[in-house]
Amino acid sequence: MTRPKGVAAALFLIPTVLVFGLFSWWPIIRSVVLGFQRTNLVEAATFAGLDNFHTLLADPLLGMAVRNTLLFTGLALLIGFPLPIFLAVLMSEMRRGSGLMRVLVYLPVVVPPVVAVLMWKWFYDPDSGLFNQLLGLAGLGPYPWLQSTGMAMPSLVLEATWAGAGGAVLIYLAALSGVPTELYEAAELDGASVWRRLWHVTLPQLRPILLIMLLLQVISTFQVFTEPFVLTDGGPEDSTVTVLLLIYRYAFVNGDYGTAAALSVSLAVVLAVLSAVYLRLTRTWGTK
């Protein structure tokens, strides 16, 4: 007697569901519960109600962390969102050397994040860093890249853009390969320049991918942690403290795991609402 196909599929699916639930959903549930508790993860937890959220809202550093996170996100979108599109279009138009160019662009993605950040920390060194040495040859600098409240955040964005652009470039290159060549041929027959073909053919064809990539980049930049933690530790003068860095300080510096969980849950809710609103507003843009 053969088993129904649905039962066989369910038996194969059960281990995956259990693993996914144990390592994905259970930590989420525990974080939500922890947000309403007072605990040091050693002694028994006590119910705190909304006290953790009240502590969070009373912290003056929260507003600065939110502003810094929004600033990082804005700069990352301004610099890091159009750059991969430009590189992908440039490489798709190249007749020679496109393979080498793809390797060089994707290479930063292969480098471990902490290693890449430490390398850039040396680049930014005000005394012996690579950037100031190169600028010194032209009679410029030295510049306090990470020691200035005005330059620290753009410096972090520059490193993050370098580290993350490679993956986006490959996605855009794959999307460009699916654009019908007939559209480009018709545009060329009409005398359209490269920039007009980009604006009227390439970007409209990439619209669904662009919308998804924009949302993913907003979500990832809202959760920036490695760059401010390793490069500046939130300084100078807390000008690079981000929401995730503040969560780290609550949990592993202050031992206030309840408030850390409360801020984590709040960030997750904000990103979920933002994503839902964004998808609602753009659900028909990709088909127009």
Side-chain angles (χ1 to χ4, degrees):
M1 181 177 179
T2 59
R3 295 178 179 176
K5 293 183 178 179
V7 175
L11 291 176
F12 280 106
L13 195 60
I14 287 175
T16 303
V17 172
L18 290 177
V19 171
F20 184 80
L22 179 62
F23 292 101
S24 295
W25 286 105
W26 178 243
I28 294 175
I29 295 173
R30 282 292 299 139
S31 297
V32 174
V33 173
L34 193 62
F36 296 93
Q37 293 178 336
R38 186 176 292 106
T39 178
N40 58 6
L41 299 183
V42 177
E43 301 174 353
T46 58
F47 181 71
L50 297 177
D51 289 349
N52 292 327
F53 294 90
H54 292 158
T55 301
L56 186 63
L57 294 175
D59 188 351
L61 195 57
L62 175 63
M64 180 173 291
V66 172
R67 288 194 297 271
N68 291 338
T69 303
L70 291 175
L71 176 60
F72 182 92
T73 300
L75 291 176
L77 292 178
L78 183 65
I79 301 172
F81 186 69
L83 180 62
I85 303 172
F86 172 77
L87 292 175
V89 173
L90 178 63
M91 284 187 283
S92 66
E93 295 289 335
M94 293 175 63
R95 296 294 181 264
R96 295 181 179 179
S98 61
L100 178 61
M101 187 72 172
R102 295 183 188 194
V103 172
L104 293 177
V105 169
Y106 192 73
L107 187 60
V109 181
V110 182
V111 180
V114 175
V115 174
V117 173
L118 289 175
M119 180 178 66
W120 276 72
K121 191 171 186 178
W122 171 69
F123 289 168
Y124 285 137
D125 188 275
D127 300 320
S128 59
L130 177 64
F131 291 157
N132 279 337
Q133 288 185 19
L134 294 177
L135 291 173
L137 297 177
L140 301 175
Y143 295 102
W145 301 98
L146 301 177
Q147 293 73 31
S148 167
T149 56
M151 298 183 65
M153 187 63 77
S155 299
L156 266 60
V157 172
L158 184 62
E159 188 282 331
T161 300
W162 172 86
V169 169
L170 291 187
I171 293 175
Y172 289 133
L173 282 172
L176 285 170
S177 65
V179 178
T181 56
E182 295 82 2
L183 297 177
Y184 290 113
E185 293 172 355
E188 290 178 1
L189 290 175
D190 290 339
S193 63
V194 174
W195 294 109
R196 292 183 65 85
R197 293 199 302 270
L198 172 65
W199 186 257
H200 294 288
V201 178
T202 303
L203 293 182
Q205 291 295 314
L206 295 182
R207 186 181 299 167
I209 299 297
L210 293 174
L211 293 176
I212 294 298
M213 293 296 290
L214 178 61
L215 177 60
L216 292 177
Q217 183 163 352
V218 169
I219 293 174
S220 64
T221 51
F222 260 85
Q223 301 177 79
V224 61
F225 172 76
T226 305
E227 286 78 10
F229 177 69
V230 178
L231 286 176
T232 62
D233 194 25
E237 300 178 13
D238 293 326
S239 61
T240 57
V241 172
T242 59
V243 173
L244 249 66
L245 185 56
L246 187 59
I247 293 173
Y248 171 85
R249 289 183 176 181
Y250 277 132
F252 301 108
V253 177
N254 302 333
D256 191 352
Y257 296 98
T259 304
L263 183 52
S264 301
V265 171
S266 301
L267 178 61
V269 171
V270 169
L271 290 177
V273 172
L274 179 64
S275 300
V277 172
Y278 177 86
L279 293 174
R280 175 76 177 180
L281 294 176
T282 61
R283 60 179 179 175
T284 59
W285 292 5
T287 59
K288 292 182 179 180

